[in-house]
Amino acid sequence: MPKRLTTRTAVEKTVHQALRDQPIVDMHTHLYPPTFGTPVPNRTGKTDRDGLMLWGLDELLTYHYLVSEVYRVVPAHSRKGGLAYEEFWKLSKQQQAEHIWKHLFVERAPVSEACRGVLTCLELLGLEVGKNKDLGKLRKWFAQQDPSKYIDKVMKISNVESITMTNPVFDDNERERWLKGAELLRGDPRFKSVLRIDPILRDWPKAAKKLTEWGFNAGDGKTLTQKNIEEGQRFLREWLDRQEAIYMALSLPPEFRYPAESGEAADKAGQMALEKIILPVAAERGLPFAMMIGSKMRVNPALRDAGDMVGKSDVQAVVRLCAEFPKNKFFVTLLARENQHELCVAARKFGNLMIFGCWWFLNNPVLIEEITRMRLELLGTSMIPQHSDSRVLDQLLYKWQHSRVIIGRVLADKFTDIVDTGWPVTDEEVKQDINRLFRGNFLEFLAR
Ligand code: HDL
Ligand code: ZN
């Protein structure tokens, strides 16, 4: 029998319990099952230097967020003992981890969100790192894990029921693995695939050249004939089938405009690739197209994955695409804090637009709180508040734990606000809405 909630305390208790109990569908990660190989030493002994499944202590400590943070403390160029980038990249993964541990954890308080995240992971794994800061001892525990069983453990503790991968077809390592044996790679139904195609819009001429090399005649990159369009569509259909992808995705620079503003032939061709290749195939299959806009790649190339930057995007490009392609479904997340309000208002105008997550540089408590409040106040529960973006399996533990606490605080306020008007809120309703936010809205939008 549903129980009516009449006080803030009752609401808070219900919200936090419902969040703990709610199985999560994580709609955007960079995680992989063991069939994609793992470079991490472990009890199975089967390691693969270029393996894609990252997990364990040294991967946690060398997450690219922490690489950029340690270069704040020990600069690359300094008269007093810096560490040149190329020297850092020459270190082993363990040596890199030790360098980060020393400078960001031992010699100063690990208060940044990425540092704190490592501590939350270790705490949730029961490793009592406060009692023992010796990496060697911690490493021994991880080396005893079997990757397959470790996935079960991490998904259980984090209560994540489904992991949505990012599968970049233009990445040679990943593509070759799919070509070798797609069925092997899809052995674990808890992992869903996403066809990631950034180069098609970030650099159509280069992408067209690659497609042609792979046997799909996509033209010269400056013009798109009907044949090129058909071949580009054939490429997408073939890879969507191979991966059994549940949506298509790409990230875009802050300069992305629709329609393309530059008179450049390549930009015009890229716009045609969007209009004639990507969106028609997505629409025919009822697949959402995810645009993650605002990432300026490699502003500091020496930092590699850690060298990307945020920039303010043009939300009107999203508005025009949603308006001009009503049969397409769009997942959109923007990287700049300054774009969040305009994106929320855009979502009020288009039912084919589902906004999601506090992406990358927004995935910090202060911004998760601000953005979630804004979304609930403007959109109610018709949005997807978070994804983890995890690159290392263990990060599911901290990214979801931290977000549950913050989103829970906001939800408790919002439910209490309506309880205060005399509106009858029950525990069942709270559970239903939390299911919508952390699972249902995503699955329903896929099926729509
Ligand atoms: O483009 C993306 O999917 C981003 O999430 C990048 O992978 C970024 O490097 C990242 O890991 N952000 O968390
Ligand atoms: Zn990502």
Side-chain angles (χ1 to χ4, degrees), residues 28 30 63-65 166 196 198 202 251 292 295 297 305 308 359-361 387-391 399:
H28 172 63
H30 299 268
Y63 181 36
H64 67 73
Y65 291 31
T166 296
R196 182 72 180 255
D198 293 32
R202 280 188 183 264
S251 74
M292 305 169 72
S295 48
M297 310 307 278
D305 277 349
D308 303 340
W359 181 30
W360 200 343
F361 304 111
H387 64 276
S388 76
D389 219 347
S390 298
R391 280 176 171 260
K399 287 178 183 258

Side-chain angles (χ1 to χ4, degrees), residues 165-207:
M165 299 188 278
T166 296
N167 304 104
V169 63
F170 288 88
D171 173 277
D172 294 341
N173 179 9
E174 167 129 13
R175 190 179 61 262
E176 291 309 318
R177 290 172 188 267
W178 280 105
L179 291 172
K180 269 197 210 112
E183 64 292 340
L184 283 180
L185 302 176
R186 292 193 37 73
D188 186 335
R190 296 172 299 180
F191 285 77
K192 304 292 183 206
S193 309
V194 166
L195 179 58
R196 182 72 180 255
I197 51 174
D198 293 32
I200 289 188
L201 287 197
R202 280 188 183 264
D203 185 349
W204 171 248
K206 190 169 156 216

